[in-house]
Amino acid sequence: MARVRDDVGSYDDIAAAAVRTTGLDDFGGAAHEEGLRILVDDLASPEAGLTGEGRYFQRAQVKSALVGRLLTQARLTEHPSYAGVPIERPVFVVGLPRTGTTALHRLLVADPAHQGLELWLTELPQPRPPRETWSDDPVFAAMQAAFAEHHVSHPEFMGIHYMDAVSVEECWRLLRQTGKSISFESLAHVPRYSAWLAAQDWTDAYERHRANLQLIGVNDPDKRWVLKNPSHLVALDALMAVYPDALVVCTHRDPVASVASACSLSAEATAGHSTTFVGETIGRTQLAMLSRSWRAFADARPAYDPSQFVDVDYAAFVADPVGTTRGIYEAFGLGWTPEAAAAVEAIDRESRRGARRPAHTYSLEDYGLTEAEVRAAF
């Protein structure tokens, strides 16, 4: 049975709920408040058109960001040694949604010398415990059970983007601790929040992002971080300010296919949540956000060392995932060891069968867009 609410509530109400849930009250400052207050006001407005189910879902998203911030702050205080954990030449996979970033990210992080952000640790930031103890953690167990249920009730979504608590995932959950994430724009019609976000400097969000990585990786200081998130396109300057030696892998695909697929993902993820965020509204808002993100990245990139970037063509990657991955290693001077090769090949085989095998159908016309409009926007 779907969970519903009569209202989203105010920001202060949601923050109080996060405090009650965690038993913590130190948010580590108020850098997150401006954006989240604007977001909650947007979500509560008639313009968002949220249903009872949508109000419950969107409130939970904001609360999750606040819970994550509270938990991070507590763990940073408990583990002050995090500040000395090095993060050297981290790899960031960037690109428009649905351009192969997820598959490429999982291949790159398969290397035993690498580490990624497991989904449950983006929700429950802490030093990564030994893998064999994860099933004993009640939060981990609850998340796994919830994803298992979601697989059954939403098979179409899982065919688009397979998720479970163990999988490495996007790092937007860390960025949203500072109230900055295009994920909110991908899940609701929030025009005032979108306008606010487009004018922001993301440096503080990436500084907190880095602190989270240092915390989560405190037990694995020698492993290279491999991360991915479409919103990195928006904030390349902030990313490079915080990670000046970052290695950036940029995926490329025909934007017509990319935008249609991204709209389909937004629609499937929010089915039944809004009378507004459907069809043409999804098409219009996602095209504006994605094209703006791509232009921001293209404008910022020339200021940085070209050797820190590798471009990957989607068609070439699909044709030869392992060869493409090896090419990235060679371009960046990373060690393509026998262990790395074996791990990448194993993940590639696994991705071609079972629940992780991609299965996704979509049409640009479902979202009121034409090929000409998409190409003009890019």
Side-chain angles (χ1 to χ4, degrees), residues 2 17-19 29-30 40 56 82 84 90 93 114-115 142 145 151 197 244 261 272 302 347:
V19 168
V40 172
Y56 181 91
Y82 84 89
V93 179
H114 292 170
Q115 61 181 316
H151 298 170
L197 188 62
S261 187
I347 291 295

Side-chain angles (χ1 to χ4, degrees), residues 68-93:
R69 187 174 177 97
L70 285 166
L71 291 172
T72 291
Q73 201 61 37
R75 301 299 175 260
L76 293 177
T77 301
E78 290 173 9
H79 303 277
S81 63
Y82 84 89
V85 175
I87 298 181
E88 297 177 353
R89 301 187 78 208
V91 176
F92 288 85
V93 179

Side-chain angles (χ1 to χ4, degrees), residues 96-115:
L96 294 173
R98 322 310 301 164
T99 59
T101 55
T102 297
L104 181 56
H105 178 220
R106 290 175 177 170
L107 290 177
L108 287 167
V109 85
D111 186 339
H114 292 170
Q115 61 181 316

